[in-house]
Amino acid sequence: MSSNQLANPGPLGLMGFGMTTILLNLHNAGFFPLTSVILSMGIFYGGLAQVLAGIIEYKKGNTFGATAFTSYGMFWLSLIGVLFLPKMGLAEATSSEFLGVYLALWGIFTLFMFFGTLKANRTLQFIFGSLTVLFALLAIGNITGNASLLTFAGFEGVICGASAFYLAMAEVLNEQYGRTILPIGEKKHA
């Protein structure tokens, strides 16, 4: 099977990212405790499904998609590890400050990925721009211990996740109907 016969893995990766991000940030905003719903999504949909989408993007020759989906899939898996390795007695718990450093590194990575979206549609730009802001808010909130900032980050994160959810559904519906059902702000080509 040639790469042009493969289905678009973007919606799978975007939905895995979007739904998991919404759930975690509903927790961050204070609506729900950190439960198995969030953790299971982090492992299976945010984690494994995004890695799978990244591998398919790799096969299609899409370096940006392969890097983004595989990296953010591994982010979710590593975040679950950060939370649960200490509970399993396999590692020391991470301080809030060091968690902030972890999140800051992901924010720097995301900022560079945002620059890569400037040749893409406006919705993808919004996803990566809002994700950069989310990582910055979470990093600063954890490093400084500012609970209000972390709560605000939760609301911003729901918006970020919802934008990925929207783009995933736009790509599915637009392809399915062969026309624009949900606009994504296509980049004009010169």
Side-chain angles (χ1 to χ4, degrees):
M1 179 177 284
S2 71
S3 62
N4 62 355
Q5 293 176 303
L6 296 175
N8 177 5
L12 172 64
L14 287 163
M15 193 57 79
F17 169 79
M19 288 176 67
T20 309
T21 300
I22 290 169
L23 288 173
L24 179 60
N25 284 288
L26 286 171
H27 159 72
N28 289 341
F31 292 106
F32 297 101
L34 186 64
T35 66
S36 61
V37 166
I38 299 166
L39 300 172
S40 294
M41 286 288 280
I43 294 168
F44 297 106
Y45 206 30
L48 296 178
Q50 279 198 91
V51 169
L52 178 61
I55 291 168
I56 297 168
E57 291 284 16
Y58 173 84
K59 183 159 176 55
K60 292 182 77 150
N62 180 352
T63 302
F64 182 90
T67 303
F69 289 135
T70 305
S71 294
Y72 292 116
M74 291 299 180
F75 163 79
W76 285 110
L77 294 173
S78 70
L79 182 61
I80 301 302
V82 166
L83 297 172
F84 273 90
L85 289 175
K87 292 185 183 300
M88 297 165 50
L90 298 173
E92 294 295 319
T94 300
S95 68
S96 293
E97 295 82 10
F98 202 30
L99 180 61
V101 172
Y102 165 86
L103 294 165
L105 286 171
W106 279 102
I108 293 166
F109 169 75
T110 302
L111 177 62
F112 279 98
M113 294 300 285
F114 167 74
F115 293 135
T117 68
L118 297 178
K119 294 184 74 172
N121 64 68
R122 299 288 183 232
T123 307
L124 192 64
Q125 292 171 20
F126 182 85
I127 293 166
F128 277 85
S130 64
L131 184 57
T132 302
V133 171
L134 176 59
F135 276 126
L137 292 170
L138 291 171
I140 294 166
N142 276 283
I143 290 168
T144 64
N146 187 329
S148 297
L149 190 57
L150 292 172
T151 300
F152 177 76
F155 287 96
E156 197 273 353
V158 169
I159 292 167
C160 175
S163 66
F165 191 115
Y166 174 86
L167 182 56
M169 291 300 88
E171 287 187 11
V172 168
L173 294 175
N174 293 351
E175 180 182 317
Q176 189 69 13
Y177 286 92
R179 62 184 174 87
T180 299
I181 301 295
L182 296 174
I184 59 173
E186 288 294 340
K187 190 79 171 167
K188 304 278 189 270
H189 298 287

